[in-house]
Every structure is written in structure tokens, then in C-alpha cells.
Amino acid sequence: MSPPKLYLPLIDLSSTDRASTAKSIRQACMDHGFFYVINHGINDFAVNSLFRESKNFFDLPLSEKMKLERNIDHRGYLPPYTETLDLSSGLKGDLKENFDIGPINDSLNQWPSKERMPAWRVTMESYDEKIMNVSFRLISLIALALNLDENFFTKIGALDSPVGYLRLLHYPGEIPESKKGNYGASAHSDYGMITLLVTDGVPGLQICREKDRSPQLWEDVHHVEGALIVNIGDMMERWTNGTFRSTVHRVVAVGQERYSVAFFLNPNSDCVVECLESCCSETSPPRFPPIKSGDYLEERLRVTYSL
């Protein structure tokens, strides 16, 4: 029996009624931790260029891709079957391969050569600028959704030097017999503030709204043409004292090749993440101690990659 198909809340960024939009975002973040964003300003040409360059890279021979193998700073290429996001699954090796790009002007990034892929870097830089702009607009609305000033995250310095990561993802169509049963990306939640995902329309993304439920109920996320899929990360759940949920999700193999690009927005590394005043009370005291964003992410990465 196929999982139920889930139609997430639809947030229109072109709406002039910011109060109503913020209210819809609040409900979406409390109920699902996921929502769609439409009329975000990133046109089809930019998205098509992004996927074209992504496909061109992943089509390269493995030996060429491995010249840019992901380094200790988590920048570069990670081949299939080398990462398992859900260590409790008992399965070894998610099917995906990915390429990670950190803050766009960071010298730690790795880039394919201009001779082999002349349009790669300029395409990534252009998309990064656009998706960062959408992220800032969303963060302003999320502040309103939390009953804060719309410039709250700017005022506390969270966006002074934001740490944004682009992750280009490729899921195979054909799966070796030995890997059948493995996930494209096994169950996990994202670490940071928010994630903005664009996909090529091929299905596979599923979410589990009640992660402690047994057995878990997984729902297929329906594709909406032209929409971004946005989800709340663990850091934002921590910031909101659990008011907003960071929802577990995965990508299942559907027998079709699939491409997607995720953008992970994290605040300035020195920004202190502590329970927001609008999210705690005498009956709901802070559940987590304050921590610097950079320290939190470093710890999450250390635990993940040391196991």
C-alpha cells in the first residue's frame, strides 16, 4: 500500500498581507515543519541552469568527481553509499551522491575547473544569491510568525555573516541488487535554521510528522511546479523551545533518476541561540541552554561523522 500523499501548506511570498502570511507560516511550522513557497522570485531559467550544471557534474566519471572529494570542511563531492543519515536503520550506505558548497565566497570551497565546466561557478553563485534573498524574506516572516519584530533576527546579529550551504543531490534510477532496500537518503532532520529545497519533480520525498509514533507514518510530499519546499531545522526548533517542529524526512528510491538542490541557512557562527521570550512561560520554561550557533553545528557534525 502506497503512503498517503501530503499537500503541504502553500505560502505566497507575493502577498502584501504579511500578517496573514506570517499566521499561515506559524501554523505550517507547528503542524508540519514543512511548507511550500510560491512566487519567490527565482525564475525557471535560474532553476533549469542549476539542474543542468548539476547533471553535467554528476555525469562525469567517478575518477573525475573524486578529484573534488569532500574535505574536512565539508566542501566538495561525496560518492554514493558512503553516508548513512539514519544510523539506526541497520542499512549501510544511502544511494545518493552529493556536492557541497559552503558560503559562496569562502576560500575553502572546491570548484570544478573552468576548462571542463565553464558555467558551473557563475551558475552556483547566481543561484546562491537568489536563494539567500528568499531566505532573508522568509526569516523576516518567521520572526512575525513568532510574535517578534520582523527584523528580530537581523537585530540580534544572526544574519550579519550567515552561513549558507548549497547541497547538490543526485539519486540513481537503477539500483544495484546489493543496495535494493536502501534509501536514497535515509530518515533524518536538518541541523540548522531553515532549509529551502528545489527538486526536478521526480517523487521520493517523504516526511514523518510524528517521529516518536510507532509504527511511523510516512507521507509522500506532492510536487508543486515552481514551488520551493521549506522545512524547519533542529536549531530553529531549539530556538522556539519546540514551538516549531523540525520534522524527520527521507527520500525513497522510486526507480527514476532524481535531482534536487538544498540550501541550508544557518546564522552567524557567534550568534547565541537561546529560547525566544515569545516561546517560553512559567508553564513552558526553556528546554535547552543557550549555545553559540557555530558550536551547536560543530557538535552536531562531530557526532554525525564520528559514529
Side-chain angles (χ1 to χ4, degrees):
M1 183 177 176
S2 298
K5 187 166 286 190
L6 179 66
Y7 291 82
L8 299 169
L10 203 67
I11 305 300
D12 186 349
L13 275 193
S14 69
S15 172
T16 56
D17 189 345
R18 290 174 62 78
S20 177
T21 302
K23 183 178 179 181
S24 296
I25 288 176
R26 181 180 179 87
Q27 199 63 50
C29 292
M30 292 174 65
D31 292 347
H32 301 85
F34 272 75
F35 54 90
Y36 303 110
V37 167
I38 59 171
N39 295 322
H40 42 70
I42 302 179
N43 61 32
D44 290 345
F45 177 81
V47 173
N48 292 338
S49 298
L50 180 69
F51 280 127
R52 182 186 65 244
E53 291 302 312
S54 177
K55 185 177 188 306
N56 287 344
F57 176 80
F58 289 123
D59 280 348
L60 292 174
L62 181 60
S63 59
E64 286 296 314
K65 291 184 284 191
M66 290 300 288
K67 291 177 182 178
L68 297 170
E69 185 177 9
R70 192 163 75 179
N71 56 30
I72 193 171
D73 298 298
H74 307 286
R75 320 293 172 83
Y77 173 70
L78 191 71
Y81 321 130
T82 56
E83 182 178 63
T84 307
L85 292 172
D86 181 7
L87 295 169
S88 69
S89 68
L91 300 168
K92 296 296 182 183
D94 289 348
L95 304 172
K96 65 180 177 61
E97 57 181 334
N98 52 273
F99 192 97
D100 291 347
I101 303 170
I104 210 70
N105 295 318
D106 196 320
S107 61
L108 298 172
N109 283 322
Q110 302 193 74
W111 303 101
S113 69
K114 256 190 172 180
E115 292 73 25
R116 182 176 281 277
M117 303 194 72
W120 169 276
R121 184 165 180 172
V122 68
T123 300
M124 300 305 151
E125 289 174 339
S126 175
Y127 184 77
D128 182 87
E129 180 182 2
K130 291 178 174 64
I131 199 72
M132 184 71 81
N133 179 266
V134 177
S135 300
F136 279 19
R137 291 164 65 195
L138 273 173
I139 289 299
S140 174
L141 286 164
I142 285 172
L144 288 176
L146 290 164
N147 301 316
L148 302 167
D149 181 277
E150 64 180 346
N151 297 315
F152 172 82
F153 290 105
T154 300
K155 289 178 178 177
I156 65 170
L159 305 179
D160 286 353
S161 300
V163 181
Y165 277 84
L166 275 179
R167 173 167 294 169
L168 282 63
L169 292 144
H170 172 232
Y171 301 88
E174 295 184 11
I175 303 168
E177 194 64 37
S178 62
K179 295 294 181 180
K180 287 188 176 175
N182 285 32
Y183 293 99
S186 50
H188 64 286
S189 58
D190 295 342
Y191 299 157
M193 209 172 178
I194 58 171
T195 303
L196 293 84
L197 180 75
V198 60
T199 81
D200 64 356
V202 174
L205 177 62
Q206 298 181 334
I207 72 172
C208 177
R209 284 185 275 176
E210 302 296 337
K211 55 190 171 187
D212 296 325
R213 172 177 170 166
S214 182
Q216 290 180 322
L217 173 65
W218 290 93
E219 298 171 282
D220 287 327
V221 176
H222 174 68
H223 177 70
V224 173
E225 192 65 32
L228 297 171
I229 299 171
V230 179
N231 66 279
I232 295 299
D234 297 337
M235 186 185 295
M236 185 62 80
E237 181 177 82
R238 182 186 182 108
W239 229 329
T240 65
N241 210 30
T243 302
F244 287 2
R245 63 167 68 191
S246 177
T247 303
V248 174
H249 51 285
R250 67 186 184 187
V251 177
V252 297
V254 295
Q256 289 178 266
E257 205 171 16
R258 182 180 189 270
Y259 293 88
S260 64
V261 179
F263 178 74
F264 305 99
L265 180 70
N266 304 309
N268 172 32
S269 296
D270 290 332
C271 177
V272 176
V273 178
E274 57 185 331
C275 182
L276 300 168
E277 287 187 11
S278 63
C279 297
C280 61
S281 64
E282 287 187 8
T283 57
S284 181
R287 294 162 50 191
F288 310 99
I291 188 171
K292 286 185 177 180
S293 167
D295 292 341
Y296 174 76
L297 291 173
E298 184 178 338
E299 174 63 18
R300 291 295 303 271
L301 288 168
R302 185 191 65 79
V303 170
T304 297
Y305 292 105
S306 64
L307 294 174

